[in-house]
Amino acid sequence: MKKNGKRDWFQDWSNDYDATLGRMRRHLRMLDLVTAASGVRDGDRVLDIGCGTGLLSLRFLKAANCTVVGIDKSAGMRACFRRKIRGTALERRVEVRNGDAARLDPDLGRFDVIASTVTLHHVKNKLPMIRSIRSRLKPGGRFVIGDVDLDTTGSLADPKRLGRILDFLREEWIAAMADAGPDGFRRMYDNGKKHVFNDGEYCVSFREWTALCRKAGFTGTRVVPVAKGSRFKVLRALRK
Ligand SMILES: C[S@@+](CC[C@H](N)C(=O)[O-])C[C@H]1O[C@@H](n2cnc3c(N)ncnc32)[C@H](O)[C@@H]1O
């Protein structure tokens, strides 16, 4: 599929997202950890930024009697999520809407929890985004990010940078083959290459995410790995 002459990556991926990344154990563990780290409670209002096919939102809805607003830029991803909840009792607790992490709609209101998994690294200019996220949290609100702890910034011509990314991709591709078979590997192989060329992927280390959260006024930052030695981590930060 094309958008402005460019392939619309997420629109295309929405068709097999749950059968590829959605089957990777490290991803599912991360979603569980993000849900737990958020401390979601009955009555909470939750924002899931880059909700995709709803894998994280559905965990929140199961963990507590909360309501969720899921925003995503991709119509295909949103359609997949809507299909999952259509006609179920969850429908009245979820709102799935078009939205951009870099420009949160002013009418979204305020939330007890704002969470995002493997999405915020797509936004290049991160500090204004985190400041805007903080402003959408109620006092006592929690912000939780699940993502890869990988610095892909720097010159594309830097062999050290390339080495860092390839070390990560080797593990990622083997895990994709093990958990999701050749189709999962093919998708994650294509996805991984985008990191090398900064093609819509701008990952930073969790040290940097933590620094950005503090700069934006968050307190109580805490980082935990998804599993011992995992490159995927979860950061929780608090708005006092
Ligand atoms: C790798 S998927 C993650 C989906 C889901 N959070 C999960 O963990 O399974 C990334 C999602 O972010 C969305 N996305 C990418 N950039 C975005 C942006 N700037 N604003 C909102 N959504 C975005 C994509 O459409 C896609 O659904």
Side-chain angles (χ1 to χ4, degrees):
M1 243 168 260
K2 306 252 179 178
K3 193 178 181 185
N4 304 329
K6 270 181 83 180
R7 183 159 166 241
D8 185 346
W9 176 262
F10 288 109
Q11 189 72 23
D12 187 34
W13 195 4
S14 63
N15 298 314
D16 65 355
Y17 187 84
D18 286 4
T20 55
L21 182 54
R23 279 178 51 193
M24 288 182 68
R25 283 171 291 172
R26 62 102 182 131
H27 187 61
L28 303 177
R29 269 200 296 267
M30 184 178 72
L31 301 177
D32 289 337
L33 200 57
V34 166
T35 310
S38 75
V40 65
R41 296 184 282 260
D42 290 353
D44 276 355
R45 201 164 176 254
V46 178
L47 176 65
D48 178 3
I49 302 178
C51 59
T53 63
L55 296 179
L56 178 66
S57 293
L58 290 169
R59 278 166 167 77
F60 279 118
L61 293 162
K62 199 172 161 198
N65 189 12
C66 60
T67 55
V68 173
V69 178
I71 62 166
D72 202 288
K73 266 180 29 171
S74 156
M77 292 284 188
R78 295 195 304 272
C80 277
F81 187 6
R82 286 201 187 102
R83 273 198 297 277
K84 288 182 187 174
I85 53 172
R86 190 167 301 141
T88 75
L90 291 178
E91 230 175 347
R92 62 187 171 77
R93 292 169 54 204
V94 191
E95 189 191 347
V96 185
R97 27 191 293 185
N98 185 13
D100 186 346
R103 277 171 292 278
L104 294 178
D105 283 343
D107 71 343
L108 278 171
R110 298 228 281 172
F111 296 87
D112 302 283
V113 172
I114 300 184
S116 188
T117 47
V118 280
T119 296
L120 299 185
H121 71 251
H122 294 299
V123 175
K124 233 180 195 172
N125 199 359
K126 295 182 171 50
L127 187 57
M129 169 181 71
I130 296 183
R131 286 199 168 118
S132 147
I133 287 172
R134 186 177 173 278
S135 75
R136 305 311 165 96
L137 278 170
K138 299 175 188 171
R142 290 87 71 198
F143 173 42
V144 192
I145 311 176
D147 215 313
V148 62
D149 184 3
L150 174 71
D151 179 2
T152 64
T153 60
S155 162
L156 294 193
D158 176 3
K160 280 201 186 120
R161 171 186 173 277
L162 179 62
R164 257 193 330 266
I165 299 173
L166 292 180
D167 286 348
F168 158 66
L169 288 179
R170 184 176 189 280
E171 281 174 26
E172 180 73 348
W173 288 339
I174 292 171
M177 186 64 92
D179 293 348
D183 288 342
F185 170 74
R186 188 175 298 116
R187 176 60 72 180
M188 298 314 288
Y189 177 74
D190 283 345
N191 191 51
K193 286 188 298 188
K194 295 165 79 231
H195 290 286
V196 176
F197 298 106
N198 271 354
D199 182 11
E201 313 271 349
Y202 317 101
C203 295
V204 295
S205 68
F206 265 62
R207 186 189 285 256
E208 179 65 11
W209 278 121
T210 303
L212 288 165
C213 284
R214 289 187 183 145
K215 220 180 259 178
F218 279 105
T219 58
T221 51
R222 196 187 66 194
V223 174
V224 284
V226 168
K228 195 164 175 264
S230 172
R231 290 176 192 268
F232 284 83
K233 299 205 172 133
V234 170
L235 179 149
R236 188 225 49 194
L238 306 174
R239 173 173 186 165
K240 274 213 174 130

